[in-house]
Amino acid sequence: MGTMETKSVSEVSEGDGRRADVIVEAAGRLFFAPGFARVSMDDLARELRMSKKTIYRHFPDKRSLLAAVLDRQFAAVERTLVAAAEDAEGQPFGVRVQRFLIAAGSELERIGAAQLAAGRGDAMLRQYVEQRVDAVVYRRLDELFRDGHRQGLLSAPPELLSEITRGAVERLLTSPLPRELDWTAADLLRASVDTVLYGAIRSARPGIDDEQLGAVIPTARDDEQEVGP
């Protein structure tokens, strides 16, 4: 199945390009509002006070228009993530991870990415949103964890941390837990990753260090030594 694309915006004149932008802006307001599935091109034409023929001159169907809307949304997400990474440059690794996740969680929550990924009945839409989230968010997160691993800052494989974080993102954005705890999804996501990176169980004895933890929690090598001949 191919990706959802539209070439119409790049093929029109400057004046028509502005009109295409206006169409995309209005479509974004309508398509991301409750009841999206019931929003028709007729509804959009009435909102814009222009004919459907004019809309179709730029976008051949609702799907291509939605693709343009999503491209604009994810471009904004990408700009936010790039800015967050630049702001955290030179900070400790944990701070870099936290700031990235706050930005990513906030942006995905803002555009309703989880609901879009559910597809609202459109399998191609689901695939398209998944591809965009993977390209814009998860690949950057993967590289961040790989960088931490290269620096010797992570004891767990970066692939495992990425997989756990992806699951947390997808779950928390649709979970009632943020409302129940009165936290944002981004805050809960950060807390989830802090738990994975640093653990959730506080020591009963203050000041316990890694060497003491190693004596309590055997490593794989310790296990092999104990069970070996």
Side-chain angles (χ1 to χ4, degrees):
M1 183 181 297
T3 58
M4 295 169 62
E5 297 179 346
T6 177
K7 298 180 181 179
S8 53
V9 173
S10 62
E11 292 175 349
V12 297
S13 67
E14 183 177 349
D16 281 348
R18 175 53 190 160
R19 180 173 290 171
D21 287 341
V22 170
I23 293 171
V24 171
E25 289 172 6
R29 292 194 302 271
L30 290 180
F31 289 172
F32 287 99
F36 155 81
R38 295 186 294 274
V39 175
S40 67
M41 296 296 267
D42 287 312
D43 296 324
L44 181 59
R46 281 192 295 271
E47 173 76 10
L48 290 166
R49 297 183 180 179
M50 68 175 59
S51 68
K52 283 199 300 181
K53 183 178 179 180
T54 300
I55 296 175
Y56 284 129
R57 186 157 65 89
H58 299 288
F59 304 98
D61 52 38
K62 184 176 178 180
R63 180 175 286 166
S64 65
L65 175 55
L66 182 56
V69 173
L70 289 171
D71 283 340
R72 176 173 293 194
Q73 293 277 16
F74 278 104
V77 171
E78 189 165 20
R79 287 193 297 271
T80 298
L81 295 184
V82 169
E86 291 175 349
D87 288 344
E89 189 70 29
Q91 295 292 326
F93 178 71
V95 174
R96 292 169 58 202
V97 172
Q98 287 182 352
R99 291 188 181 175
F100 178 87
L101 291 173
I102 290 172
S106 298
E107 285 295 289
L108 292 177
E109 190 174 30
R110 177 184 65 80
I111 68 172
Q115 291 74 22
L116 288 170
R120 298 181 181 182
D122 191 320
M124 185 173 286
L125 172 59
R126 284 197 301 274
Q127 184 185 47
Y128 187 72
V129 172
E130 288 169 0
Q131 290 170 348
R132 298 297 287 146
V133 171
D134 185 72
V136 173
V137 178
Y138 292 147
R139 290 182 190 177
R140 283 184 167 82
L141 181 64
D142 293 345
E143 180 54 36
L144 186 57
F145 282 135
R146 283 195 295 268
D147 185 45
H149 189 261
R150 284 192 295 266
Q151 295 181 50
L153 301 174
L154 300 176
S155 58
E159 297 82 2
L160 174 61
L161 295 174
S162 292
E163 195 68 19
I164 291 171
T165 306
R166 288 182 185 220
V169 170
E170 292 163 7
R171 175 61 181 155
L172 286 174
L173 290 177
T174 57
S175 171
L177 195 58
R179 292 189 300 274
E180 293 172 359
L181 296 180
D182 196 25
W183 283 25
T184 67
D187 288 337
L188 283 175
L189 178 59
R190 181 185 62 181
S192 299
V193 175
D194 282 350
T195 300
V196 173
L197 293 178
Y198 309 118
I201 301 176
R202 293 192 178 94
S203 170
R205 293 174 294 164
I208 189 169
D209 57 23
D210 291 339
E211 183 177 350
Q212 289 172 300
L213 282 173
V216 176
I217 306 175
T219 64
R221 183 176 298 175
D222 292 333
D223 293 339
E224 290 172 1
Q225 291 175 347
E226 290 179 2
V227 300

